Amino acid sequence: MAEKSGPPIILDHNLWGNFTHHYGSDLDHHDVPDGPDRIYMDYNATTPVDPEVIGVVTDALTDAWGNPSSNYLPGLKARDIIYHSRDTIARMVGGKAADIIFTSGGTEVTARVEVEDVIAAIRPTTCLVSIMLANNETGIIMPIKDICQRVKDVNKQRAASAPRILLHTDAAQAIGKIRVDAHELGVDYITIVGHKFYGPRIGALFVNDPGTTTPVYPLLFGGGQERNFRPGTENTAMIAGLGKAAELVSLNLAEYEAHFLDIRCYLEQKLLAVFGKDKIHFNSHFSGSDILPNTCNFSILGRGLQGRRVLSTCRRLLASVGAACHSDRGDQPSHILLSCGIPYDVATNALRISVGRSTSREDVDIVVEDLRDTVEQLERMN
């Protein structure tokens, strides 16, 4: 399930002014300046919709409003848009159009992981292994390819009567940041979530040869759309937007990845320069583990510097302490960080900064200055 952290089993800151004009500027429950003064660095939670994506969504709403199952012109246009998007999304993950099933989002498709732990957890009745490709809190990239190879070895050794173990990965956080190829990874299923890579809030499921090589069954029954896998008239406009977002990823991934890495490394260098190595702890740095190029999870050490308290005091930075779906846990530290061996008091102070395509070094300078001022203020209060 997308955005569920744990063991296996947006506003762009340039748009902040428009947002606060409509909704007010008290989202963090304290007085903050509105307009472009607020700098958004929570792109792992959600991203703004790319202007090119907005364009194709608008065109589809205007010209392709017909039922894709019909034979009149607006319906035929809708059908063509859906097929083109299906093909584009499939190519983004190394598949073919028939492998893509559209969904309402990532959650509809059902921690740091060690390969040996996964293999040890397999039982004679195990039929599915599901692991996120990259953790949304730490950015750690899971060894999916190695896990898939080991699971396939287990499948070869199983008795004929035992179920074949299928492999699913939730790539919500990875797509648009690193290369994701279903066949290179060796997975049977991939969850795709549009609003994580500048697309609309719609999702898709990659299935390797659905219904033939790989089983897939509908959750609902009805009109027979999506080859009987998901009934209901297709959401043409959002599908068009998802297809355009996928096209942009396929065309520009190397550029995106290089930019993310440059900004994240600059951020880490700036944090160390301003706070010193004794006051900054990077919670994603583990020997032998790769992390997403855009994600920095760190703690500013010291009493009274809990992550939520720091963020609620910052005047410029918009970020989070971890997964949005765990926002009701108060100052309790992330169980993901604790399971990675981060001490309790360090994990309590954790902040997650995730940068986007428009994040600049100047933004980083402003954000780190804001953090420095905030920490000085809180330490005076303490």
Side-chain angles (χ1 to χ4, degrees):
M1 182 176 291
E3 288 303 302
K4 289 295 184 182
S5 308
I9 93 153
I10 269 185
L11 285 171
D12 185 288
H13 68 84
N14 293 322
L15 303 179
W16 177 253
N18 292 334
F19 184 80
T20 53
H21 173 74
H22 292 289
Y23 296 102
S25 60
D26 59 347
L27 299 184
D28 288 322
H29 308 293
H30 68 294
D31 293 331
V32 296
D34 59 8
D37 288 329
R38 295 291 270 176
I39 296 178
Y40 183 81
M41 289 194 180
D42 202 18
Y43 289 88
N44 281 10
T46 197
T47 58
V49 181
D50 188 279
E52 292 190 49
V53 173
I54 294 174
V56 299
V57 168
T58 302
D59 290 344
L61 288 170
T62 303
D63 301 325
W65 46 265
N67 189 323
S69 299
S70 65
N71 289 318
Y72 41 76
L73 185 58
L76 293 174
K77 285 185 175 180
R79 190 184 309 168
D80 287 344
I81 286 171
I82 290 171
Y83 178 80
H84 176 73
S85 295
R86 197 186 305 276
D87 182 62
T88 303
I89 295 162
R91 284 189 280 111
M92 178 181 67
V93 295
K96 56 187 182 300
D99 297 333
I100 297 297
I101 300 170
F102 292 110
T103 66
S104 63
T107 303
E108 183 178 321
V109 187
T110 301
R112 189 167 173 246
V113 177
E114 300 291 344
V115 177
E116 296 304 327
D117 292 340
V118 174
I119 301 305
I122 291 175
R123 300 291 180 265
T125 55
T126 299
C127 60
L128 176 70
V129 172
S130 177
I131 306 171
M132 64 197 329
L133 181 51
N135 186 270
N136 50 307
E137 292 190 37
T138 63
I140 291 176
I141 300 170
M142 307 301 176
I144 300 297
K145 186 175 182 179
D146 293 339
I147 291 170
C148 287
Q149 186 57 58
R150 293 290 301 278
V151 169
K152 287 177 180 179
D153 291 341
V154 172
N155 279 334
K156 292 177 182 177
Q157 299 166 11
R158 280 191 151 190
S161 59
R164 175 168 69 96
I165 302 173
L166 299 164
L167 299 128
H168 164 260
T169 191
D170 178 351
Q173 288 299 337
I175 289 176
K177 301 166 189 171
I178 60 173
R179 175 177 168 82
V180 177
D181 186 289
H183 299 292
E184 286 183 5
L185 293 173
V187 296
D188 299 295
Y189 310 96
I190 297 178
T191 298
I192 301 166
V193 182
H195 74 99
K196 302 295 186 180
F197 58 99
Y198 291 75
R201 291 192 176 179
I202 185 176
L205 177 67
F206 165 87
V207 184
N208 184 23
D209 290 326
T212 54
T213 302
T214 307
V216 60
Y217 302 98
L219 297 174
L220 303 171
F221 300 87
Q225 293 87 352
E226 286 297 291
R227 292 158 291 159
N228 290 312
F229 293 128
R230 188 175 188 271
T233 303
E234 294 89 345
N235 190 347
T236 304
M238 295 299 103
I239 290 173
L242 186 62
K244 187 62 179 182
E247 178 185 327
L248 292 174
V249 168
S250 296
L251 290 173
N252 304 304
L253 180 60
E255 177 185 340
Y256 296 156
E257 188 172 2
H259 173 73
F260 293 150
L261 186 59
D262 174 72
I263 298 299
R264 192 200 79 207
C265 290
Y266 182 73
L267 169 64
E268 293 180 350
Q269 293 166 6
K270 197 75 177 179
L271 287 168
L272 287 172
V274 170
F275 290 101
K277 63 178 181 176
D278 293 330
K279 201 170 183 67
I280 289 288
H281 185 276
F282 293 111
N283 300 319
S284 303
H285 291 188
F286 296 97
S287 177
S289 293
D290 294 325
I291 59 176
L292 292 174
N294 81 316
T295 306
C296 179
N297 192 305
F298 65 98
S299 297
I300 304 174
L301 306 181
R303 186 172 62 86
L305 300 180
Q306 296 89 347
R308 293 185 188 280
R309 192 178 184 204
V310 169
L311 287 179
S312 67
T313 309
C314 281
R315 296 188 60 80
R316 307 295 295 274
L317 173 63
L318 294 172
S320 68
V321 297
C325 56
H326 298 155
S327 60
D328 60 345
R329 296 169 63 170
D331 284 331
Q332 292 297 311
S334 162
H335 70 279
I336 296 297
L337 297 183
L338 295 178
S339 69
C340 290
I342 304 297
Y344 187 95
D345 57 336
V346 176
T348 301
N349 288 16
L351 301 171
R352 181 192 69 182
I353 289 183
S354 46
V355 303
R357 297 174 188 173
S358 65
T359 308
S360 66
R361 288 190 172 204
E362 290 75 17
D363 292 332
V364 170
D365 291 338
I366 293 169
V367 161
V368 174
E369 180 182 352
D370 187 30
L371 286 169
R372 182 198 64 198
D373 294 344
T374 296
V375 168
E376 289 177 354
Q377 177 184 344
L378 292 175
E379 288 180 333
R380 285 195 301 271
M381 292 170 60
N382 289 334

